[in-house]
Amino acid sequence: MPDSNSRNPRKHSQEEIQDLTSAFRDFNIIIERFQETYQGLQNKIDFLNQIVEKKNAELEAQIQEGDNIKNLLNGILEHIYTGVVVINTTGEIIVFNKAAEEITRYDKEEVLGKNYLKLFGNAQVRNKSPLYTLATGKESFHRRKIMRSKDKKPIDVEFSSTLVKNMKDEIIGVVETFNDISEIRNLQRRVTQVETLAALGEMAANVAHEIRNPLGGIGGFAGLLDRKLAKDDPNRKLIKPIVEGVSRLNVIVSDLLSFTRPQKLNPVKVCLQDTLQEIIDFFQISLGNMDKDVELKKQFPEKEIQVYLDSQLFQQIVINLLKNAYDAIEDTGTIEVRIRQNVPESLSEILDEDEKDELLRMFSYLEIDIIDDGVGIPEEMLPKLFNPFFTTKDDGNGLGLAITRKIINLHKGDINVTSELHKGTTFTISLPLYETYHEL
Ligand code: ADP
Ligand code: MG
């Protein structure tokens, strides 16, 4: 077989070179075009990159704004006092705010993703659950129901439930808002209790009034008898307890009457420090006859404080409180009387100078503390302290604090107590300042 190389090698390579050259030319042209296209593409890419960068920046700004709004809404959700639960269309809890945690005692982690009915459902409130709203589309507004807390305790709540829809108007769940109203219910109960007490008080006042005359008679006749009997008559010793009994009954009767009768104030403008000093001096003298070792202290501000008071009634209430403090001390102890002028701190920061004086005066009030280091008061007793006839003393009538509170309320003030067992008790009277009183 003839070898291909055996043909004319020269001619062969010349042709080949020509072919190669034209191929190179073509190739170069293609390369050039390719480079042009590449450059064009590169330009396009650069342009697209710019657009992408711009879009990215816009998107980032949007996300940032979205985040801000989300944070704001979350902040609001977490700080409002209303419980908020949101369920999705399958009844799973997807939002549970802090107030909801506090009211129900569940932690967020324990309820998120759980079915609402499993946690808070029960037969009585079936048609008051958000699932009912989901199923029927019936929304609720300001209705009441009993929810169960984590420890299965009933909680009185007022609730509303509303459908949640997306932009396309499709239902995506239900939001239920609720407030614990047990406090309000307790207050309502207390109002009823106070009304009953007031009715009882009125009855007691009538009884006291009826007792007063015969009591006067008994006292009078006992005195008469005392004078009629001979000095050495053995029956004489029977009279003493009668006279003592009568005088105790008289105190009770006049306390009762002063508690139940509508009091009329006779207020005058006085310097609080001077008024309190007189009362303290008076009490100090009576301490001299008593057998406990009690030190009286005071802490008054230097600047004179003007108040509007019925001095006589004010003296009565401070003596009441001092006497209670004395009774609470076992053998030795201290009673301190403090005057504080309370200026709300937060207010003084936010006000500008012009409004300051005016508003500070409106929101400032006086506080008088009567502090003892006596036996203290058990916590469960605190709510009953101001009820008429509540006493723990053999010789008490339980009217002191009831009268005290009534008189302070007449002065548009208030009285509160804090106490720690075996450490002592502080009664705090708050009163409006003289100028404020006039505006009340
Ligand atoms: P009374 O003094 O006749 O008992 P009050 O109304 O003055 O009636 O007081 C009611 C009760 O409150 C007292 O019996 C006492 O148990 C309690 N109490 C009042 N003040 C104090 C105090 N400073 N420390 C401890 N207990 C007090
Ligand atoms: Mg008393």
Side-chain angles (χ1 to χ4, degrees):
M1 207 167 82
D3 191 307
S4 58
N5 287 334
S6 65
R7 288 190 292 178
N8 186 343
R10 261 189 87 117
K11 182 177 175 279
H12 185 79
S13 56
Q14 235 168 5
E15 268 174 17
E16 269 181 355
I17 286 169
Q18 252 170 18
D19 286 352
L20 208 59
T21 318
S22 79
F24 255 120
R25 206 179 302 127
D26 291 348
F27 182 70
N28 268 339
I29 293 167
I30 289 171
I31 289 277
E32 260 166 41
R33 281 208 202 117
F34 182 70
Q35 261 173 347
E36 273 166 27
T37 321
Y38 179 79
Q39 193 54 49
L41 275 176
Q42 189 64 49
N43 291 345
K44 262 191 194 152
I45 285 176
D46 284 351
F47 179 65
L48 281 176
N49 265 344
Q50 277 173 14
I51 292 183
V52 166
E53 248 167 56
K54 200 168 149 232
K55 285 277 170 216
N56 264 346
E58 278 172 17
L59 212 61
E60 226 163 81
Q62 269 175 15
I63 290 173
Q64 185 63 44
E65 195 181 334
D67 269 359
N68 288 349
I69 293 175
K70 205 169 127 198
N71 286 342
L72 178 70
L73 288 179
N74 267 336
I76 295 172
L77 199 63
E78 288 305 299
H79 287 99
I80 52 174
Y81 290 111
T82 299
V84 178
V85 182
V86 182
I87 59 162
N88 63 15
T89 47
T90 58
E92 275 172 15
I93 297 173
I94 52 171
V95 172
F96 199 75
N97 75 345
K98 200 171 195 155
E101 288 185 312
E102 272 159 20
I103 298 171
T104 65
R105 313 240 165 249
Y106 278 106
D107 280 341
K108 196 172 285 189
E109 291 73 35
E110 295 173 286
V111 300
L112 288 182
K114 299 264 168 61
N115 191 289
Y116 182 96
L117 274 190
K118 282 222 179 86
L119 291 174
F120 302 112
N122 67 52
Q124 287 110 42
V125 297
R126 217 178 359 219
N127 63 354
K128 292 179 174 176
S129 86
L131 278 121
Y132 177 78
T133 306
L134 192 65
T136 60
K138 283 188 188 152
E139 303 191 329
S140 298
F141 188 63
H142 280 318
R143 296 181 64 197
R144 282 176 44 186
K145 68 174 173 181
I146 303 285
M147 261 175 123
R148 294 276 156 191
S149 66
K150 186 179 174 185
D151 42 5
K152 301 289 166 235
K153 293 221 176 81
I155 326 160
D156 251 314
V157 297
E158 186 184 76
F159 74 100
S160 301
S161 71
T162 323
L163 289 168
V164 187
K165 294 178 180 172
N166 64 13
M167 302 282 216
K168 293 184 220 148
D169 216 29
E170 296 159 341
I171 294 171
I172 53 171
V174 176
V175 56
E176 178 180 67
T177 55
F178 55 96
N179 287 302
D180 186 347
I181 53 166
S182 11
E183 269 301 300
I184 298 173
R185 299 258 293 171
N186 278 343
L187 278 177
Q188 281 169 343
R189 255 178 240 130
R190 273 187 60 194
V191 168
T192 326
Q193 212 176 45
V194 168
E195 279 166 359
T196 321
L197 281 173
L200 273 176
E202 208 169 303
M203 199 178 76
N206 290 335
V207 173
H209 198 71
E210 293 300 317
I211 287 176
R212 199 175 226 183
N213 291 337
L215 202 58
I218 295 171
F221 284 120
L224 208 62
L225 208 58
D226 191 39
R227 263 171 274 142
K228 287 251 162 148
L229 291 179
K231 279 240 157 55
D232 52 351
D233 194 317
N235 286 324
R236 201 170 247 283
K237 64 173 185 296
L238 298 178
I239 296 173
K240 201 173 164 233
I242 297 179
V243 175
E244 279 172 5
V246 165
S247 93
R248 261 194 73 191
L249 276 174
N250 257 328
V251 171
I252 296 176
V253 165
S254 47
D255 270 357
L256 253 179
L257 287 175
S258 82
F259 173 62
T260 46
R261 274 205 186 134
Q263 290 267 5
K264 226 182 119 28
L265 282 193
N266 186 14
V268 285
K269 181 179 171 181
V270 295
C271 163
L272 184 65
Q273 284 96 326
D274 293 350
T275 308
L276 270 175
Q277 189 59 54
E278 274 169 36
I279 301 172
I280 290 174
D281 291 345
F282 176 77
F283 190 71
Q284 184 79 57
I285 293 167
S286 65
L287 277 183
N289 307 323
M290 306 209 203
D291 44 7
K292 292 182 200 171
D293 181 11
V294 173
E295 188 192 353
L296 263 179
K297 290 208 288 197
K298 63 166 187 180
Q299 197 177 306
F300 293 174
E302 269 175 31
K303 189 166 170 268
E304 187 178 288
I305 299 176
Q306 303 280 341
V307 278
Y308 211 48
L309 289 174
D310 182 316
S311 321
Q312 215 172 341
L313 289 177
F314 186 69
Q315 170 165 358
Q316 186 186 339
I317 62 176
V318 177
I319 295 283
N320 266 346
L321 294 172
L322 290 173
K323 204 167 161 321
N324 277 348
Y326 176 87
D327 289 343
I329 290 168
E330 284 184 315
D331 292 315
T332 53
T334 312
I335 304 173
E336 185 173 337
V337 181
R338 253 185 227 170
I339 301 176
R340 287 181 289 140
Q341 184 161 351
N342 204 319
V343 179
E345 287 290 330
S346 54
L347 208 61
S348 53
E349 275 170 28
I350 56 171
L351 294 175
D352 64 44
E353 287 301 321
D354 293 343
E355 296 168 324
K356 204 166 187 160
D357 276 358
E358 176 78 18
L359 280 167
L360 277 185
R361 198 159 45 74
M362 271 174 67
F363 288 103
S364 304
Y365 47 94
L366 285 170
E367 289 189 320
I368 303 160
D369 294 323
I370 289 157
I371 308 160
D372 68 63
D373 55 2
V375 291
I377 304 167
E379 206 181 325
E380 66 275 10
M381 223 184 250
L382 291 175
K384 299 183 209 150
L385 233 49
F386 295 92
N387 287 354
F389 309 114
F390 176 82
T391 181
T392 55
K393 299 170 194 169
D394 293 338
D395 59 346
N397 63 25
L399 284 171
L401 288 177
I403 293 173
T404 299
R405 173 143 84 182
K406 190 181 160 191
I407 294 173
I408 293 170
N409 288 346
L410 282 175
H411 282 90
K412 296 168 186 171
D414 204 0
I415 178 165
N416 287 297
V417 56
T418 55
S419 186
E420 206 176 325
L421 218 49
H422 311 302
K423 290 256 171 71
T425 304
T426 301
F427 280 87
T428 304
I429 302 172
S430 346
L431 287 175
L433 291 166
Y434 172 73
E435 294 87 344
T436 322
Y437 186 98
H438 272 275
E439 282 154 18
L440 291 170

